[in-house]
Amino acid sequence: MKKSYIWSLPTRVFHFLFALFILFAFLTDDDEFLRFHAIAGYSILILLIFRVYWGYFGPKYSLFKDFPANKCEAKEFLKNIFDDKQKYIGHNPLASYVMIAMLIVTFIVIITGVLAYGIQDGKGVASFLNDSFFKKMKLFKEIHEFSANFLIFLIVAHLAGVAVDRLLHKKSETLNSIVTGYKMTQEDETIKLSFFQKLFAIFMFVVFIAFLIFNLYKPNNALVASKFQAIDYKRQNIAFVNECGSCHTLYPPNLLPKKSWELIMSDLENHFGDDASLDEDINKEILAFLVKNSAETSTTKASWNFLNSIGNKDIIALSKTSYWEKKHKKIPKDVFKNEKVKSVANCKACHSDIEKGLIEYENIKNISDFI
């Protein structure tokens, strides 16, 4: 057995960053960390661009044409899988299939993620699709999640293959080669990078680091920015602001469906224990404004979730919906008793932008402020 250098430094760095950022993407797959999840996806896309180029113009064994991904090679490999003397210096046939599938599926995950992020959340480069495809957002989300789960399957298969290779072909030192670049082979097949290969690898690494720094210093850039802007309700309906906002949080009309607003405005004499009666004309004016801008007319995720949570039920309080309970179940009850909060109805105590028609996670105050 001879020691051959088959995995170049750029290849190994790609492998490490690819695994690291896929892990980061899965760890941030939550509404609270969605911006970081999106950045991770874009970062992986940069890595994929490098790997595709490397697959056509990179060094030997990193090239796609050197992947023994065909039925005959696969059958021969399985037939001789227990043979300690393997002829495959780079990827074996099964590993080749898995690697190619991982690259393709990862690309699909990223594209569907960008679409879901834009359509469902109205954020990122595909936010312009929010208005047109909002009601079909579940389709894009389901495709994204299915692809992500399939990627997990491929990763597990990849790791299982590494474990089996470690067990059956220990002398090849395949696992060690991921770190060192060196693998024990039958013949000396050491690779060397050309000047242009080195130059491209350095360029892509600089682009990757620059992208991360850019997102660090400009977190609300076009890749993650929301299409939804703060609303000046005073300009839209001063009566709504004066009459409703003078006593409690100015709840955005798009958080409740038409039916709930009609129920509220038809019984202001018994408005959550208080008499909030209004002049008939003002009542009609505010009701018309609320109905015109109700949850049914909105393309925000919060509106959609509250709308579906309420359904046909006669619910007029956001805190009585299953969606509200689900989103706040981890918050200690003592928080709502804090003098700065006092009630579950005081949304603006935590959601600093709610009275501007927005509910953005990055603008939610830290729970520690109320403990």
Side-chain angles (χ1 to χ4, degrees), residues 22-41:
I22 285 180
L23 175 62
F24 183 70
F26 279 108
L27 293 177
T28 54
D29 186 18
D30 185 89
D31 285 343
E32 187 176 353
F33 307 108
L34 204 55
R35 182 170 67 85
F36 299 104
H37 182 71
I39 292 172

Side-chain angles (χ1 to χ4, degrees), residues 234-299:
K234 285 185 178 181
R235 297 184 63 181
Q236 291 196 357
N237 193 295
I238 190 65
F240 167 61
V241 176
N242 290 340
E243 300 298 339
C244 302
S246 61
C247 297
H248 54 66
T249 296
L250 190 68
Y251 301 106
N254 64 359
L255 293 185
L256 284 175
K258 175 183 176 181
K259 181 181 180 180
S260 295
W261 286 125
E262 290 175 338
L263 289 171
I264 290 174
M265 298 304 291
S266 66
D267 191 26
L268 289 178
E269 296 83 1
N270 301 293
H271 190 62
F272 299 100
D274 294 318
D275 184 355
S277 301
L278 295 173
D279 176 81
E280 185 176 352
D281 290 338
I282 294 178
N283 188 306
K284 288 182 179 179
E285 179 189 341
I286 294 176
L287 176 59
F289 173 72
L290 295 172
V291 170
K292 181 181 178 181
N293 297 280
S294 63
E296 290 92 339
T297 68
S298 175
T299 58

Side-chain angles (χ1 to χ4, degrees), residues 26-72:
F26 279 108
L27 293 177
T28 54
D29 186 18
D30 185 89
D31 285 343
E32 187 176 353
F33 307 108
L34 204 55
R35 182 170 67 85
F36 299 104
H37 182 71
I39 292 172
Y42 288 120
S43 301
I44 295 170
L45 181 60
I46 295 175
L47 294 173
L48 277 179
I49 292 172
F50 164 79
R51 188 60 186 90
V52 171
Y53 176 92
W54 213 237
Y56 288 103
F57 305 104
K60 190 174 177 60
Y61 306 119
S62 291
L63 297 172
F64 295 139
K65 68 178 183 179
D66 289 326
F67 283 23
N70 60 73
K71 291 182 180 180
C72 294

Side-chain angles (χ1 to χ4, degrees), residues 16-193:
F16 171 76
L17 291 175
F18 191 63
L20 178 65
F21 275 80
I22 285 180
L23 175 62
F24 183 70
F26 279 108
L27 293 177
T28 54
D29 186 18
D30 185 89
D31 285 343
E32 187 176 353
F33 307 108
L34 204 55
R35 182 170 67 85
F36 299 104
H37 182 71
I39 292 172
Y42 288 120
S43 301
I44 295 170
L45 181 60
I46 295 175
L47 294 173
L48 277 179
I49 292 172
F50 164 79
R51 188 60 186 90
V52 171
Y53 176 92
W54 213 237
Y56 288 103
F57 305 104
K60 190 174 177 60
Y61 306 119
S62 291
L63 297 172
F64 295 139
K65 68 178 183 179
D66 289 326
F67 283 23
N70 60 73
K71 291 182 180 180
C72 294
E73 293 281 6
K75 287 180 180 179
E76 183 182 350
F77 173 74
L78 290 173
K79 184 179 179 180
N80 302 296
I81 193 169
F82 294 104
D83 188 348
D84 193 41
K85 295 181 180 180
Q86 290 293 317
K87 70 174 186 178
Y88 303 103
I89 298 175
H91 296 293
N92 64 53
L94 297 186
S96 298
Y97 278 119
V98 172
M99 287 300 298
I100 292 173
M102 283 178 64
L103 295 177
I104 294 172
V105 173
T106 301
F107 180 74
I108 294 173
V109 171
I110 293 171
I111 296 302
T112 55
V114 170
L115 291 173
Y117 193 46
I119 294 169
Q120 179 176 276
D121 297 272
K123 296 180 177 180
V125 295
S127 60
F128 67 96
L129 298 174
N130 171 261
D131 291 330
S132 303
F133 295 94
F134 182 70
K135 292 184 178 180
K136 297 180 180 180
M137 64 177 180
K138 283 190 175 181
L139 173 63
F140 294 94
K141 183 180 180 182
E142 287 172 359
I143 295 174
H144 178 64
E145 291 181 344
F146 174 81
S147 302
N149 289 331
F150 187 53
L151 179 59
I152 292 176
F153 167 77
L154 292 173
I155 292 172
V156 171
H158 175 61
L159 294 176
V162 172
V164 171
D165 186 83
R166 175 72 174 175
L167 180 65
L168 300 180
H169 314 126
K170 191 174 182 179
K171 292 181 179 179
S172 296
E173 297 185 5
T174 301
L175 183 60
N176 293 345
S177 71
I178 297 172
V179 178
T180 65
Y182 290 94
K183 187 176 178 180
M184 300 305 294
T185 61
Q186 297 297 319
E187 299 178 8
D188 186 1
E189 292 286 344
T190 298
I191 62 163
K192 289 183 179 180
L193 296 182

